[in-house]
Amino acid sequence: MTATSLEKKLTPSGSVEPFDLNMTAASFEKIAELVTEYGDICRVTSVSRDSDSYLINHPDYIKHVLLRNHTNYKKGVGFDRVKMLLGNGIIVSDGPFWRRQRRMMQPSFNRKVTAQLSDQIQRCNLDLLSQWQAQAESETIINISEVSSELALQIVLRALFSDDLDVLIEKQGSNPFSILTDDTTRDIKLVLKFRELGKLLLELIQQRRDEKPERYDFLAMFMDSRDKETDEAMTDRELLDELMTMIVAGHETSALTLNWVWYFIATNPDVKKKVHAEVDKANYKTIPSFDDLDQLTYIKQVIDESLRYYPPVWLFTRKSIEDDMLGDYFIPAGSDVFISPYFLHRNSEFWSDVDKFDPERFTQEAIKEQHKQAYIPFSAGPRRCIGDFFATVEMQMHIGLMARHFSFEYVEGQTLELVPEINMRNKHPIMMKIKKRKRI
Ligand code: HEM
C-alpha cells in the first residue's frame, strides 16, 4: 500500500488525557476504562514516549499484528526491563538473531522430547506427593501459591539441567534459584542476584564441554544444536541468556496458572466433581504418564479456562517498524501496540458470561466455534510461547496425579487481589485445606 493511500485512512479515536501504558496496576485500570469507552481499538497519546500507543482488543487486529504482518512488528515497551534480567534471550531478541535462536531451540520443545522430559516432571511430582500425603493425614492448611511456585521452579530446572541441578544445589548449599520463589518483588536487587547466578551456569556449561556427560535435558539439546546455515553452535554467552530466559519465562507463568487451577477447582463444586470423576475413571495406576494425558480432557479444559480467566501474561507489546493499517485505521511507524489477553478474554463479542468460570467453553466442539485469536494466553504466530506444550503437559500431569489422591477445600474469608505487573499475580497467597480422597 502506498503512503498516500495510508494517510487517507482513519486514526483511531482515543484518550484525550496522555498516559504511558505499561505493565502496572495503573495501566490495568486505564485499559479497563479504555476498552469500555472505545472498544476494539484506541489511540493513547504518550506522556514521555516519542510515539503514541495503540491498544487493540479485537482478534482480527491481533491476527494482523501477530501473524499476517508480524514482520512489521518487533518486541515493544516493557521488554527493556526484562532485558536487564535476560540479556538477549529469545523472549526479548528480534530479527535474524531471534530467528536463528528460535530455530535452534524449537526442536527441544517437540512432542517426542516433551514425552521424554515428562520423566523429570513426574519425578518432581512424586517428591511432592509424599509431602502432601503426610499433610493430608492431618488435613493441614497449605499455601497452594507457594507450593505451585516451588513445583514449577523444580520442574523447569530439572528439564534444563536434569541431575546437574543436584550439583548446583550441592555447590551452593541450597537451591540457588530459590530466590525466584522467595522474592516476588522482581526489583533491581533481584535482577543483580539473578545475574550472579550466571557464573554458576557458565561453570556448568564448561564442565559439560570438558566432561561430556550423557544427559537428556534442555541444556544438552541447546549445546548440541547447530545453526542451519553456518553450522555454528551457541556461544557460552548465548547459552547463558537462553537458560536464564527459560527459567524466568517457564517458572512464574506455570506456577501462577497451577495456583489458579487449584483455586477454581476448589471453589466450583461442579468442576471439582468432574475433575475427580475423570481421574477416577482414567486407567493409570498412580501417576499419569505422558500417554495417559489424552484421557484427561476435562482437566485440560479447566486449565484452558483458568488461562482465559487469569492469563499470567496479561499484557504484551509490539513496536511497528513501518506504517501499517489495522482494518481502516492508520498505525504510523514506531507506534507502540498493546495487546492484553486479560481484556481480550473478556471481550463480550467473543465470550459470553465472561465472569463465569466455565470449562465447557473449551470442549472440542466449542473451540471450533471460537475465533482463534480471541484466546491468546500463549500469544500467537511465530513468537507464540515456545513452552506452551511443555507447560500444558506439566499442568495436566500434576493435576491428574494430585486430584486422584487429594481434595482441596478453599479456606473461606481470604481476599483475592490481583497484582498486574510483568505477570499478573495474586497479592495474597491462596490457602487450602488438603484432604485425603476416599477412593485411594
Ligand atoms: C502457563 C504457562 C505459560 C504461559 C501462560 C506463557 C505465556 C507466554 C506468552 C504470552 C509469550 C509471548 C510473549 C510475547 O509475545 O510478547 C511467551 C513467550 C515465551 N515463553 Fe511462555 N508461557 C508459559 C510457559 C512457558 C514455559 C514452561 C517456557 C519454557 C520452558 C516458556 C518459554 C517462553 C519463551 C522462551 C518465550 C519467547 C518465545 C519467542 O519470543 O520466540 N513459557 N510465553
Side-chain angles (χ1 to χ4, degrees):
M1 197 171 301
T2 63
T4 36
S5 72
L6 283 173
E7 277 153 19
K8 276 191 221 137
K9 302 290 178 173
L10 295 168
T11 296
S13 36
S15 169
V16 179
E17 200 188 319
F19 191 95
D20 285 345
L21 293 175
N22 219 329
M23 287 77 178
T24 60
S27 291
F28 183 85
E29 300 296 324
K30 187 74 185 175
I31 295 173
E33 282 169 28
L34 293 171
V35 295
T36 308
E37 192 164 347
Y38 300 104
D40 299 337
I41 181 163
C42 80
R43 180 170 51 89
V44 186
T45 324
S46 295
V47 180
S48 62
R49 295 179 189 141
D50 298 341
S51 50
D52 289 346
S53 296
Y54 295 83
L55 172 67
I56 56 176
N57 200 41
H58 190 287
D60 289 344
Y61 298 146
I62 290 171
K63 185 173 182 177
H64 182 87
V65 171
L66 298 180
L67 286 112
R68 279 209 199 113
N69 201 22
H70 70 90
T71 50
N72 190 45
Y73 292 88
K74 54 183 184 172
K75 288 274 171 153
V77 180
F79 287 100
D80 34 354
R81 275 198 280 170
V82 183
K83 228 172 183 154
M84 290 200 295
L85 201 60
L86 305 177
N88 208 23
I90 59 164
I91 207 159
V92 288
S93 60
D94 271 306
F97 181 72
W98 164 78
R99 196 166 305 110
R100 167 195 190 248
Q101 295 298 101
R102 176 99 192 197
R103 275 203 199 133
M104 287 171 86
M105 285 187 273
Q106 190 69 54
S108 311
F109 290 86
N110 72 26
R111 206 181 153 81
K112 211 170 131 212
V113 174
T114 309
Q116 293 261 20
L117 285 178
S118 68
D119 290 353
Q120 299 291 352
I121 300 177
Q122 283 192 336
R123 167 183 186 180
C124 299
N125 273 299
L126 287 173
D127 286 347
L128 182 60
L129 178 67
S130 42
Q131 190 185 315
W132 277 2
Q133 269 163 338
Q135 289 173 320
E137 288 297 331
S138 54
E139 302 198 345
T140 309
I141 290 178
I142 65 167
N143 178 337
I144 200 78
S145 309
E146 188 180 71
V147 182
S148 300
S149 179
E150 286 165 1
L151 176 71
L153 182 65
Q154 280 295 324
I155 290 176
V156 75
L157 293 175
R158 284 283 174 207
L160 281 163
F161 309 123
S162 57
D163 286 350
D164 287 338
L165 177 60
D166 302 318
V167 177
L168 296 173
I169 294 174
E170 206 177 301
K171 264 193 185 169
Q172 294 294 298
S174 62
N175 185 346
F177 295 97
S178 291
I179 52 169
L180 289 173
T181 50
D182 299 345
D183 180 345
T184 52
T185 52
R186 305 288 181 262
D187 59 10
I188 188 73
K189 272 195 290 187
L190 179 83
V191 172
L192 296 175
K193 274 197 244 168
F194 194 66
R195 292 306 300 180
E196 258 179 48
L197 297 178
K199 285 186 218 141
L200 259 184
L201 295 185
L202 286 171
E203 280 169 28
L204 176 61
I205 293 168
Q206 194 51 50
Q207 192 185 344
R208 291 224 179 161
R209 291 202 197 285
D210 296 341
E211 295 169 19
K212 301 189 175 42
E214 221 174 87
R215 293 280 184 271
Y216 194 92
D217 51 31
F218 285 138
L219 176 56
M221 287 178 257
F222 295 170
M223 289 180 74
D224 281 348
S225 83
R226 294 288 177 271
D227 181 329
K228 245 185 16 202
E229 276 146 33
T230 62
D231 202 38
E232 275 170 15
M234 284 190 223
T235 63
D236 286 4
R237 182 78 234 172
E238 287 161 0
L239 279 167
L240 178 62
D241 287 350
E242 301 306 358
L243 294 175
M244 293 295 205
T245 297
M246 292 299 149
I247 297 169
V248 169
H251 164 238
E252 197 174 41
T253 44
S254 306
L256 290 168
T257 311
L258 279 180
N259 151 78
W260 290 122
V261 170
W262 282 124
Y263 166 78
F264 286 119
I265 294 175
T267 54
N268 290 275
D270 282 355
V271 173
K272 191 192 259 189
K273 235 193 206 154
K274 285 187 187 163
V275 166
H276 286 166
E278 182 169 88
V279 291
D280 290 350
K281 201 174 139 214
N283 65 10
Y284 49 84
K285 269 211 176 108
T286 317
I287 181 160
S289 70
F290 180 84
D291 292 330
D292 293 321
L293 298 183
D294 289 346
Q295 300 176 63
L296 304 180
T297 52
Y298 186 71
I299 289 178
K300 169 75 166 57
Q301 288 170 226
V302 174
I303 294 167
D304 291 343
E305 175 65 346
S306 302
L307 282 166
R308 181 194 71 84
Y309 210 101
Y310 289 140
V313 183
W314 70 280
L315 181 68
F316 59 86
T317 66
R318 293 292 186 267
K319 203 171 201 41
S320 59
I321 298 169
E322 289 179 12
D323 291 351
D324 197 11
M325 295 297 299
L326 279 182
D328 288 338
Y329 295 111
F330 176 58
I331 307 293
S335 300
D336 295 309
V337 177
F338 285 79
I339 298 172
S340 170
Y342 180 91
F343 289 98
L344 179 73
H345 295 171
R346 280 167 175 72
N347 183 333
S348 54
E349 199 185 323
F350 300 93
W351 301 98
S352 59
D353 219 349
V354 295
D355 292 325
K356 184 176 174 208
F357 183 83
D358 183 9
E360 301 306 319
R361 300 177 202 273
F362 292 95
T363 59
Q364 281 307 316
E365 302 76 62
I367 291 173
K368 278 188 216 142
E369 303 299 313
Q370 277 171 14
H371 188 310
K372 258 193 168 171
Q373 280 73 40
Y375 180 67
I376 52 162
F378 293 106
S379 183
R383 300 216 62 158
R384 184 185 163 95
C385 175
I386 203 170
D388 58 350
F389 183 59
F390 181 89
T392 306
V393 168
E394 159 182 11
M395 295 187 282
Q396 259 184 310
M397 264 190 162
H398 171 71
I399 306 290
L401 165 65
M402 299 304 181
R404 261 270 177 104
H405 291 256
F406 311 108
S407 172
F408 287 98
E409 242 174 50
Y410 182 66
V411 177
E412 293 302 328
Q414 304 181 65
T415 32
L416 275 191
E417 233 179 287
L418 299 177
V419 185
E421 292 174 347
I422 288 185
N423 286 328
M424 189 162 69
R425 291 185 274 117
N426 40 313
K427 185 167 187 181
H428 310 289
I430 297 176
M431 309 304 289
M432 306 255 185
K433 185 187 275 187
I434 185 167
K435 289 184 160 184
K436 221 165 135 178
R437 286 199 54 222
K438 294 214 169 59
R439 182 190 180 275
I440 303 297

